[in-house]
Short mmCIF file of all heavy atoms in Angstrom, two decimals:
data_model
loop_
_atom_site.label_atom_id
_atom_site.label_comp_id
_atom_site.label_asym_id
_atom_site.label_seq_id
_atom_site.Cartn_x
_atom_site.Cartn_y
_atom_site.Cartn_z
N ARG A 1628 174.23 -79.67 -98.63
CA ARG A 1628 173.21 -79.44 -99.56
C ARG A 1628 172.23 -78.38 -99.16
O ARG A 1628 171.09 -78.32 -99.64
CB ARG A 1628 172.40 -80.68 -99.82
CG ARG A 1628 173.08 -81.98 -99.94
CD ARG A 1628 173.99 -82.06 -101.24
NE ARG A 1628 174.58 -83.28 -101.55
CZ ARG A 1628 175.65 -83.88 -101.08
NH1 ARG A 1628 176.51 -83.17 -100.32
NH2 ARG A 1628 176.04 -85.11 -101.39
N THR A 1629 172.72 -77.36 -98.48
CA THR A 1629 171.91 -76.29 -98.02
C THR A 1629 172.12 -75.07 -99.10
O THR A 1629 173.29 -74.97 -99.68
CB THR A 1629 172.33 -75.62 -96.73
OG1 THR A 1629 171.92 -76.59 -95.66
CG2 THR A 1629 171.72 -74.37 -96.30
N ILE A 1630 171.08 -74.36 -99.30
CA ILE A 1630 171.14 -73.20 -100.27
C ILE A 1630 170.77 -71.91 -99.47
O ILE A 1630 169.76 -71.85 -98.76
CB ILE A 1630 170.22 -73.32 -101.46
CG1 ILE A 1630 170.52 -74.45 -102.26
CG2 ILE A 1630 170.20 -72.04 -102.34
CD1 ILE A 1630 169.50 -74.85 -103.34
N VAL A 1631 171.77 -70.98 -99.47
CA VAL A 1631 171.62 -69.61 -98.89
C VAL A 1631 171.39 -68.61 -99.88
O VAL A 1631 172.32 -68.46 -100.76
CB VAL A 1631 172.89 -69.25 -97.98
CG1 VAL A 1631 172.61 -67.88 -97.26
CG2 VAL A 1631 173.16 -70.44 -96.88
N LEU A 1632 170.27 -67.94 -99.92
CA LEU A 1632 169.81 -66.95 -100.91
C LEU A 1632 170.23 -65.60 -100.44
O LEU A 1632 170.61 -65.19 -99.34
CB LEU A 1632 168.37 -67.09 -101.19
CG LEU A 1632 167.85 -68.44 -101.51
CD1 LEU A 1632 166.37 -68.49 -101.71
CD2 LEU A 1632 168.60 -68.82 -102.89
N LYS A 1633 170.04 -64.59 -101.41
CA LYS A 1633 170.46 -63.24 -101.33
C LYS A 1633 169.79 -62.57 -100.09
O LYS A 1633 168.58 -62.84 -99.83
CB LYS A 1633 170.19 -62.48 -102.65
CG LYS A 1633 168.69 -62.26 -102.80
CD LYS A 1633 168.44 -61.51 -104.23
CE LYS A 1633 167.11 -61.13 -104.38
NZ LYS A 1633 166.15 -62.18 -104.38
N GLY A 1634 170.51 -61.53 -99.57
CA GLY A 1634 169.95 -60.70 -98.54
C GLY A 1634 169.83 -61.44 -97.03
O GLY A 1634 169.22 -60.89 -96.26
N VAL A 1635 170.38 -62.55 -96.95
CA VAL A 1635 170.30 -63.33 -95.77
C VAL A 1635 171.50 -63.03 -94.68
O VAL A 1635 172.55 -62.95 -95.21
CB VAL A 1635 170.28 -64.91 -95.97
CG1 VAL A 1635 170.60 -65.65 -94.75
CG2 VAL A 1635 168.99 -65.26 -96.56
N THR A 1636 171.12 -62.96 -93.49
CA THR A 1636 172.19 -62.87 -92.46
C THR A 1636 171.87 -64.06 -91.55
O THR A 1636 170.73 -64.33 -91.08
CB THR A 1636 171.96 -61.67 -91.50
OG1 THR A 1636 172.36 -60.47 -92.33
CG2 THR A 1636 173.04 -61.67 -90.33
N ILE A 1637 173.05 -64.81 -91.22
CA ILE A 1637 172.87 -65.99 -90.36
C ILE A 1637 173.73 -65.57 -89.18
O ILE A 1637 174.91 -65.28 -89.16
CB ILE A 1637 173.40 -67.29 -90.94
CG1 ILE A 1637 172.59 -67.60 -92.16
CG2 ILE A 1637 173.29 -68.44 -90.00
CD1 ILE A 1637 173.22 -68.87 -92.97
N GLY A 1638 173.02 -65.45 -88.04
CA GLY A 1638 173.62 -65.09 -86.77
C GLY A 1638 174.67 -65.97 -86.19
O GLY A 1638 174.66 -67.16 -86.38
N ALA A 1639 175.46 -65.48 -85.37
CA ALA A 1639 176.76 -66.18 -84.81
C ALA A 1639 176.04 -67.45 -83.99
O ALA A 1639 175.09 -67.42 -83.52
CB ALA A 1639 177.55 -65.28 -83.85
N ASN A 1640 176.97 -68.53 -84.12
CA ASN A 1640 176.69 -69.80 -83.36
C ASN A 1640 175.55 -70.54 -83.77
O ASN A 1640 175.24 -71.54 -83.19
CB ASN A 1640 176.65 -69.43 -81.80
CG ASN A 1640 177.64 -68.64 -81.23
OD1 ASN A 1640 178.91 -68.88 -81.57
ND2 ASN A 1640 177.36 -67.57 -80.60
N SER A 1641 174.89 -70.20 -84.92
CA SER A 1641 173.76 -70.86 -85.34
C SER A 1641 174.09 -72.17 -86.23
O SER A 1641 175.20 -72.14 -86.85
CB SER A 1641 172.74 -70.00 -86.09
OG SER A 1641 172.18 -69.11 -85.10
N ILE A 1642 173.18 -73.14 -86.17
CA ILE A 1642 173.39 -74.29 -86.97
C ILE A 1642 172.21 -74.41 -88.05
O ILE A 1642 171.06 -74.21 -87.73
CB ILE A 1642 173.32 -75.50 -86.27
CG1 ILE A 1642 174.52 -75.63 -85.20
CG2 ILE A 1642 173.24 -76.83 -87.11
CD1 ILE A 1642 174.52 -76.70 -84.21
N ILE A 1643 172.56 -74.60 -89.30
CA ILE A 1643 171.52 -74.74 -90.43
C ILE A 1643 171.44 -76.25 -90.83
O ILE A 1643 172.53 -76.78 -91.26
CB ILE A 1643 171.90 -73.84 -91.56
CG1 ILE A 1643 172.09 -72.41 -91.17
CG2 ILE A 1643 170.68 -74.01 -92.63
CD1 ILE A 1643 170.91 -71.74 -90.50
N GLY A 1644 170.33 -76.77 -90.61
CA GLY A 1644 170.23 -78.22 -90.87
C GLY A 1644 170.44 -78.52 -92.41
O GLY A 1644 170.17 -77.68 -93.25
N ALA A 1645 170.90 -79.69 -92.65
CA ALA A 1645 171.24 -80.17 -93.98
C ALA A 1645 170.00 -80.07 -94.88
O ALA A 1645 168.91 -80.41 -94.47
CB ALA A 1645 171.75 -81.63 -93.97
N GLY A 1646 170.22 -79.60 -96.19
CA GLY A 1646 169.21 -79.59 -97.23
C GLY A 1646 168.25 -78.46 -97.00
O GLY A 1646 167.12 -78.40 -97.67
N SER A 1647 168.59 -77.38 -96.21
CA SER A 1647 167.65 -76.28 -96.11
C SER A 1647 167.78 -75.28 -97.12
O SER A 1647 168.84 -75.23 -97.87
CB SER A 1647 168.03 -75.62 -94.73
OG SER A 1647 167.90 -76.51 -93.65
N ILE A 1648 166.81 -74.49 -97.30
CA ILE A 1648 166.72 -73.37 -98.14
C ILE A 1648 166.65 -72.17 -97.35
O ILE A 1648 165.49 -71.83 -96.71
CB ILE A 1648 165.51 -73.35 -99.16
CG1 ILE A 1648 165.42 -74.69 -99.85
CG2 ILE A 1648 165.64 -72.26 -100.25
CD1 ILE A 1648 166.67 -75.03 -100.92
N VAL A 1649 167.67 -71.35 -97.21
CA VAL A 1649 167.72 -70.16 -96.22
C VAL A 1649 167.37 -69.00 -97.03
O VAL A 1649 168.17 -68.41 -97.74
CB VAL A 1649 169.05 -70.08 -95.60
CG1 VAL A 1649 168.99 -68.92 -94.49
CG2 VAL A 1649 169.54 -71.33 -94.90
N SER A 1650 166.10 -68.50 -96.95
CA SER A 1650 165.62 -67.38 -97.78
C SER A 1650 165.31 -66.16 -96.88
O SER A 1650 165.20 -65.12 -97.40
CB SER A 1650 164.27 -67.75 -98.49
OG SER A 1650 163.31 -68.24 -97.57
N LYS A 1651 165.38 -66.30 -95.59
CA LYS A 1651 165.29 -65.19 -94.71
C LYS A 1651 166.32 -65.38 -93.62
O LYS A 1651 166.80 -66.43 -93.28
CB LYS A 1651 163.86 -65.18 -94.10
CG LYS A 1651 162.72 -64.89 -95.12
CD LYS A 1651 161.40 -64.69 -94.48
CE LYS A 1651 160.33 -64.52 -95.53
NZ LYS A 1651 158.94 -64.40 -94.92
N SER A 1652 166.58 -64.18 -92.97
CA SER A 1652 167.60 -64.11 -91.94
C SER A 1652 167.37 -65.01 -90.67
O SER A 1652 166.21 -65.18 -90.37
CB SER A 1652 167.87 -62.63 -91.46
OG SER A 1652 168.42 -61.96 -92.61
N ILE A 1653 168.38 -65.57 -90.24
CA ILE A 1653 168.35 -66.43 -89.01
C ILE A 1653 169.06 -65.93 -87.96
O ILE A 1653 170.26 -65.37 -88.01
CB ILE A 1653 168.92 -67.87 -89.40
CG1 ILE A 1653 168.28 -68.53 -90.62
CG2 ILE A 1653 168.96 -68.77 -88.06
CD1 ILE A 1653 166.84 -68.88 -90.49
N PRO A 1654 168.41 -65.88 -86.62
CA PRO A 1654 169.03 -65.13 -85.56
C PRO A 1654 170.24 -65.93 -85.04
O PRO A 1654 170.57 -67.04 -85.49
CB PRO A 1654 167.96 -64.94 -84.57
CG PRO A 1654 167.05 -66.14 -84.92
CD PRO A 1654 167.07 -66.28 -86.37
#
Side-chain angles (χ1 to χ4, degrees):
R1628 314 297 192 267
T1629 291
I1630 299 174
V1631 180
L1632 300 176
K1633 69 181 189 302
V1635 162
T1636 295
I1637 300 176
N1640 309 312
S1641 288
I1642 296 173
I1643 307 298
S1647 297
I1648 309 293
V1649 188
S1650 56
K1651 293 185 178 178
S1652 293
I1653 302 296

